[in-house]
């Protein structure tokens, strides 16, 4: 069964699809996002029926977490398919490269998941396409970092600023390594392009 998602007038297979481009990891994220949404709705209903504050806290927590998952999926899709490539902030400075060396990025970068592994496969893709995928991944994660703080606006309606702030900070911490990896790899991709 295929479900479709419409974003900015673009119709695409999105949820529960057998898209070969997406890794198994992304499919699992979609399932988790749907499950979180169902749990958030359940706690909202329980709060509406009982007015127990614990259900409000749980509905806010699961609702905010649901937002973070769905927002990542949507931005990941848009960055990979729709958003234009960035023209600025793509150059990696010497100081940045030194920082990445101190952070030992080379040791841990392969341990993190990749949403579209085929986009970075040097055996199947030309260097320019890998470079473009890297730019799209970086901009996607940077947009996600900014949008991670959007739930803070809900503090005015629900209070619970600590829940919104903690999920936003945790979300940002989760995305920073992916930006670092893309920027760490950028000089290597440029060398590959020059070699081609």
């Amino acid at each position: 069964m295929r479900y479709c998602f419409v974003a900015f007038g673009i119709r695409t297979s999105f949820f529960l699809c057998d898209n070969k481009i997406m890794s198994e990891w992304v499919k699992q994220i979609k399932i988790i996002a749907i499950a979180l949404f169902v749990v958030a709705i359940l706690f909202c209903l329980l709060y509406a029926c009982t007015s127990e504050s614990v259900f409000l806290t749980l509905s806010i927590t699961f609702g905010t977490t649901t937002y973070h998952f769905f927002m990542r999926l949507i931005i990941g899709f848009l960055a990979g398919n729709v958003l234009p490539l960035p023209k600025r902030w793509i150059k990696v400075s010497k100081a940045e490269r030194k920082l990445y060396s101190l952070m030992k990025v080379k040791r841990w970068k392969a341990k993190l998941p990749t949403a579209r592994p085929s986009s970075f496969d040097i055996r199947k893709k030309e260097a320019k396409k890998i470079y473009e995928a890297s730019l799209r991944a970086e901009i996607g994660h940077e947009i996600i970092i900014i949008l991670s703080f959007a739930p803070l606006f809900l503090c005015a309606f629900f209070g619970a600023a600590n829940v919104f702030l903690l999920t936003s900070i945790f979300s940002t911490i989760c995305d920073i390594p992916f930006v670092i990896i893309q920027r760490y790899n950028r000089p290597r991709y440029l060398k590959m392009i020059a070699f081609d």
Side-chain angles (χ1 to χ4, degrees), residues 41-167:
I41 294 296
L42 175 69
F43 283 123
C44 284
L45 292 172
L46 286 170
Y47 176 70
C49 293
T50 66
S51 296
E52 291 288 330
S53 64
V54 68
F55 293 132
L56 176 62
T57 302
L58 289 170
S59 64
I60 289 170
T61 303
F62 280 95
T64 305
T65 306
T66 300
Y67 162 79
H68 286 289
F69 273 80
F70 277 107
M71 179 263 298
R72 275 181 170 64
L73 291 169
I74 293 167
I75 296 301
F77 168 77
L78 293 175
N81 298 292
V82 178
L83 295 176
L85 292 174
K87 302 270 191 252
R88 297 183 183 168
W89 77 80
I90 60 173
K91 189 173 181 179
V92 179
S93 69
K94 288 182 182 179
E96 211 175 334
R97 288 195 299 255
K98 189 174 181 178
L99 175 65
Y100 298 152
S101 179
L102 289 171
M103 294 172 68
K104 307 216 184 294
V105 175
K106 188 175 183 176
R107 285 188 187 171
W108 54 262
K109 69 178 187 154
K111 294 178 180 164
L112 294 178
T114 302
R116 293 180 179 92
S118 62
S119 296
F120 298 95
D121 190 343
I122 59 175
R123 296 166 298 188
K124 297 178 182 177
K125 297 280 185 185
E126 60 184 66
K128 188 173 193 272
K129 292 291 183 188
I130 295 172
Y131 176 73
E132 289 173 357
S134 171
L135 291 174
R136 290 182 186 283
E138 179 185 340
I139 188 114
H141 285 287
E142 288 167 346
I143 291 169
I144 288 169
I145 287 170
I146 293 165
L147 292 178
S148 291
F149 291 93
L152 291 176
F153 292 110
L154 296 175
C155 294
F157 302 104
F158 297 105
N162 56 343
V163 173
F164 291 113
L165 184 62
L166 286 174
T167 57

Side-chain angles (χ1 to χ4, degrees), residues 190-196:
L190 290 172
K191 286 179 186 175
M192 288 169 55
I193 291 171
F195 184 72
D196 279 352

Side-chain angles (χ1 to χ4, degrees), residues 72 112 141 145 168-179:
R72 275 181 170 64
L112 294 178
H141 285 287
I145 287 170
S168 295
I169 290 170
F170 180 73
S171 175
T172 298
I173 290 169
C174 288
D175 274 286
I176 289 173
F178 295 101
V179 172

